[in-house]
Amino acid sequence: MLNIKGWSAAVGANQSKIIDLLVGNAVALGAVVGAVLLLVADPIVLRMLGGLLAVAGVIGTGWLLRREVARHGELLTMHTGPRLVLLVAIAGGYLARRPDQAVWVWTATGIAMAAVLAEPTIKALLAKTQQIAVNLPGVQPVPAPPYAPNRLVAGSLATITAGSALAIVGLPGWCYLGVATLELAAALILIGYAGRATKMTRQALTALPKALKRHQPAFVVYYGGLHGARYQLGMWLPYLERLGRPFVVITREAATVPTITALTTAPVIVPRTTSELGDLSTLVVPSMKAAFYVQGSRANLHFQKFRKLTHIWLNHGDSDKQANFSPRHATYDKVLVCGQQGVERYAAHGVEIPPDRLLKVGRPQVERIEVRDEPLPADAPRTVLYAPTWRGGRPTTDYSSLGLGERIVAALLDRGVTVIFRPHPLSYADPADAGLIRRIQQLLAGDQRSTGRHHVWGEQAERDWEIADCLNNADGLITDVSSVASDNLASGKPFAMVAMRASGEDFRAEFPMARVAYLIEKDLSTLDSALSDLLGTDPLAEQRHAYRRHCLGDQLGPHAADEFLRVAGELVTGVSRPAAKGKPKQDEKISEIPLERVLFPTEPDVAELVSQETDRLAEQQRRTG
């Protein structure tokens, strides 16, 4: 007999979905049986059993919907069958208590069912609405819904719960009718919004091309991700704005628009993937010279096909993670790295990028990090920043020490250290990791109450302060394989790294940054000695200061952004991008892009480029042959 894990392997679904399927089927079956017993059974015992099954169905449906909310899923049309059956079951239970209220009860039931049955229509209408452009003169933004559509499903569950309670108490049926009418009114409001928003979406799509040409953007920042825009774009937009040229941000996910508009006043545009109006080809206007990328989504390839633009890879941090030496980076026209370490990192991992495409520009984000190379007095109190990274997108990129964080922080507290705790923002997307974060925060809160030490965590460490503020207020750092380690180099302060993927010299060989860090093994066997070096004599100080220039380039402090601004300024004007052999830019050979190194060689846009180049070469051979 297969268990949950066995079923998961057999059908190719994760265990969570298998659990949802089994519980959903049980809820549906229980709701049907409960409804039948409440409607047709005579003995009171059977009716009571039907009522219990209906209540269990309400609880089960709520549990399933809550799990979907935790996954950030869309609730519209989910579990509509069980909800409809439960409404019938409530009617049966209500009439068993108040047979004189049949008209009120069945009217209320019909109205509540109509609201549930309207969900597919609402979902279809909402699919035709989309934010097209914000902050772009000449294009009216599409307003947000009056409330989150998921709340309509929550309202349906509230109606079912309220109906159950009213039936048990035996209140008049018009009370139930009032609750059901509110649910239907909410559905009608959403239908009305969807109709207006659909019209505004079409109008925005029509106005978009002319508005873009009038705006004359010199470059575009392309964002293909769904999560992480706040820190990934947030670290680069201030410097791109300092170029003093008009630009736009194109994001593939409309859900990211509120986050991005909070970061910049530049126009934010969402391409329309289901219509020729507003697709990517209509968003590339003649004034655009370059496109910057800060996140490694495979969707970037959709925009890289526009070869008249210079495509520039920025990344959103500098570290020894795989994301910093992906073979896909070789498909960009220019790859901007901090220093020589970035160049060597690609070579060490077999990623071949011509030297003229690799540009060393320093790390602009360290301009606010204060440099302090002098050691603290031995008896001075210490503050340490603990900044673990997230789990990564797959097991091979999981460098996170968050699971050890409580023990690491406890060891710091035992030494009388003040702690700044700043977890990676994407760690909150995993419920287990979010729980670990809360436990560390509770540990710090408890220590603060008992000792009076002013630890920093939560809103202050993660939103009020930027990473530069955290580093400036700390005397040392504990982190993982992370860009925080690179940024800390600018400060000159000591740091430790947690070796989660290897051990000892193997870890240092794989991750060069660890050669100037105090190593904490994942079994914590070296935690005590690493903390003694970090908080004490700091024997790696000289090596760390020498490595700083190798990693971050020549400029620190207020001038850290100068080289980036110079190089990026040239790229967005097109000055540093002459056409190959005097030919127009669009005639460059696609073979100059090492497509064989792309991780997703079957991507349609890349395949199209290869096909075009093959056809061109065949035609050239035919003419000369």
Side-chain angles (χ1 to χ4, degrees):
M1 182 176 179
L2 290 176
N3 54 20
I4 297 295
K5 186 175 182 180
W7 278 109
S8 176
V11 302
N14 61 45
Q15 295 185 43
S16 179
K17 290 294 186 181
I18 294 294
I19 292 172
D20 284 2
L21 178 64
L22 294 175
V23 174
N25 287 335
V27 167
L29 179 61
V32 170
V33 174
V36 171
L37 292 176
L38 285 168
L39 285 170
V40 302
D42 285 331
I44 187 65
V45 175
L46 291 180
R47 287 191 174 183
M48 289 181 64
L49 176 60
L52 290 174
L53 288 173
V55 170
V58 174
I59 295 172
T61 302
W63 183 80
L64 289 168
L65 292 174
R66 183 178 179 183
R67 281 169 63 85
E68 195 62 29
V69 169
R71 300 188 189 106
H72 305 285
E74 183 179 353
L75 299 186
L76 279 179
T77 71
M78 287 202 67
H79 306 294
T80 53
R83 283 188 282 143
L84 291 170
V85 174
L86 286 171
L87 287 170
V88 175
I90 290 169
Y94 219 128
L95 294 176
R97 288 278 289 155
R98 295 292 301 269
D100 60 317
Q101 300 291 304
V103 174
W104 292 109
V105 169
W106 283 118
T107 302
T109 301
I111 289 175
M113 293 179 75
V116 174
L117 292 171
E119 289 180 21
T121 300
I122 294 171
K123 186 174 182 179
L125 288 172
L126 290 176
K128 297 180 180 180
T129 69
Q130 177 183 300
Q131 187 62 268
I132 301 301
V134 179
N135 298 337
L136 181 62
V139 179
Q140 183 71 24
V142 178
Y147 61 89
N150 280 356
R151 291 187 179 180
L152 184 61
V153 180
S156 169
L157 188 63
T159 299
I160 293 171
T161 304
S164 302
L166 292 171
I168 292 171
V169 176
L171 291 179
W174 58 262
C175 298
Y176 185 28
L177 177 61
V179 174
T181 301
L182 289 175
E183 181 189 354
L184 182 60
L188 293 174
I189 289 172
L190 206 53
I191 290 173
Y193 158 79
R196 294 190 303 274
T198 299
K199 180 180 179 180
M200 294 184 69
T201 298
R202 290 196 299 266
Q203 292 172 341
L205 287 170
T206 302
L208 181 60
K210 290 183 179 179
L212 263 178
K213 290 179 181 178
R214 285 195 301 269
H215 184 62
Q216 292 285 297
F219 63 93
V220 57
V221 183
Y222 187 82
Y223 191 74
L226 179 59
H227 304 292
R230 181 178 177 272
Y231 79 95
Q232 292 169 347
L233 282 170
M235 71 171 59
W236 283 111
L237 286 174
Y239 300 99
L240 294 171
E241 288 174 346
R242 280 160 63 174
L243 295 177
R245 307 276 295 186
F247 70 97
V248 297
V249 179
I250 295 178
T251 174
R252 285 185 62 87
E253 299 290 344
T256 64
V257 171
T259 300
I260 299 172
T261 53
L263 300 172
T264 182
T265 58
V268 180
I269 301 170
V270 184
R272 187 74 167 174
T273 58
T274 59
S275 169
E276 291 184 3
L277 278 175
D279 69 8
L280 284 176
S281 63
T282 66
L283 305 185
V284 179
V285 295
S287 60
M288 287 181 182
K289 302 297 182 184
F292 292 91
Y293 302 81
V294 304
Q295 196 259 8
S297 169
R298 63 182 295 177
N300 291 355
L301 290 168
H302 292 288
F303 204 68
Q304 285 179 263
K305 71 180 181 181
F306 299 107
R307 298 307 307 153
K308 70 177 183 179
L309 302 178
T310 301
H311 299 277
I312 306 160
W313 175 248
L314 294 179
N315 214 332
H316 52 267
D318 180 85
S319 74
D320 294 321
K321 288 182 178 180
Q322 290 184 19
N324 285 265
F325 52 82
S326 168
R328 272 185 285 169
H329 299 173
T331 66
Y332 294 91
D333 300 306
K334 301 293 180 183
V335 177
L336 274 53
V337 296
C338 296
Q340 185 60 28
Q341 175 58 43
V343 176
E344 295 174 359
R345 188 182 292 129
Y346 283 111
H349 292 88
V351 181
E352 299 175 4
I353 301 177
D356 63 328
R357 290 188 180 182
L358 280 166
L359 305 179
K360 292 181 284 187
V361 297
R363 176 76 169 150
Q365 290 79 8
V366 304
E367 66 177 352
R368 291 186 54 243
I369 296 177
E370 300 166 0
V371 179
R372 194 189 72 196
D373 291 342
E374 301 77 16
L376 286 176
D379 58 349
R382 298 294 200 270
T383 298
V384 170
L385 167 63
Y386 175 49
T389 190
W390 70 302
R391 290 181 181 271
R394 53 188 182 275
T396 56
T397 58
D398 182 1
Y399 307 104
S400 178
S401 67
L402 187 58
L404 305 174
E406 193 171 4
R407 296 166 65 186
I408 292 172
V409 170
L412 289 169
L413 298 179
D414 288 343
R415 290 173 176 255
V417 172
T418 299
V419 175
I420 302 171
F421 175 47
R422 182 186 172 98
H424 195 288
L426 291 184
S427 293
Y428 285 99
D430 185 293
D433 284 350
L436 293 173
I437 292 171
R438 287 192 295 271
R439 291 181 60 174
I440 295 173
Q441 292 173 340
Q442 291 166 1
L443 178 63
L444 293 174
D447 184 82
Q448 183 166 291
R449 286 192 298 269
S450 61
T451 66
R453 285 196 296 268
H454 185 65
H455 305 297
V456 181
W457 71 89
E459 191 78 11
Q460 182 176 355
E462 299 172 41
R463 299 189 73 89
D464 296 344
W465 284 4
E466 297 180 1
I467 189 63
D469 300 305
C470 293
L471 292 170
N472 289 341
N473 283 278
D475 304 307
L477 165 72
I478 298 177
T479 189
D480 307 322
V481 179
S482 166
S483 63
V484 180
S486 300
D487 290 348
N488 182 76
L489 275 180
S491 73
K493 299 172 185 176
F495 68 101
M497 291 177 65
V498 185
M500 299 299 295
R501 299 292 304 167
S503 179
E505 292 307 313
D506 291 338
F507 184 79
R508 292 187 174 94
E510 185 176 357
F511 306 107
M513 184 67 66
R515 297 167 190 170
V516 293
Y518 303 109
L519 211 59
I520 299 174
E521 298 288 357
K522 63 182 177 182
D523 62 1
L524 300 185
S525 59
T526 59
L527 176 60
D528 188 63
S529 60
L531 292 184
S532 295
D533 289 335
L534 178 73
L535 303 172
T537 57
D538 188 17
L540 291 176
E542 187 175 344
Q543 297 97 306
R544 187 173 61 251
H545 297 158
Y547 187 71
R548 176 168 55 195
R549 180 178 180 183
H550 186 71
C551 182
L552 298 178
D554 296 326
Q555 299 295 333
L556 299 174
H559 298 288
D562 290 356
E563 183 64 7
F564 169 77
L565 295 175
R566 183 190 70 79
V567 171
E570 290 181 354
L571 291 173
V572 300
T573 60
V575 172
S576 63
R577 188 175 173 81
K581 299 181 180 180
K583 295 181 180 180
K585 167 69 181 176
Q586 58 267 30
D587 288 339
E588 282 192 343
K589 291 184 178 180
I590 302 300
S591 57
E592 291 183 3
I593 306 174
L595 294 174
E596 71 278 5
R597 303 205 58 83
V598 180
L599 291 183
F600 303 97
T602 58
E603 179 68 37
D605 292 325
V606 176
E608 180 184 352
L609 292 175
V610 174
S611 176
Q612 290 174 358
E613 176 61 8
T614 302
D615 292 343
R616 189 189 67 79
L617 292 175
E619 177 65 13
Q620 184 182 52
Q621 185 176 12
R622 184 184 64 79
R623 290 179 179 178
T624 58

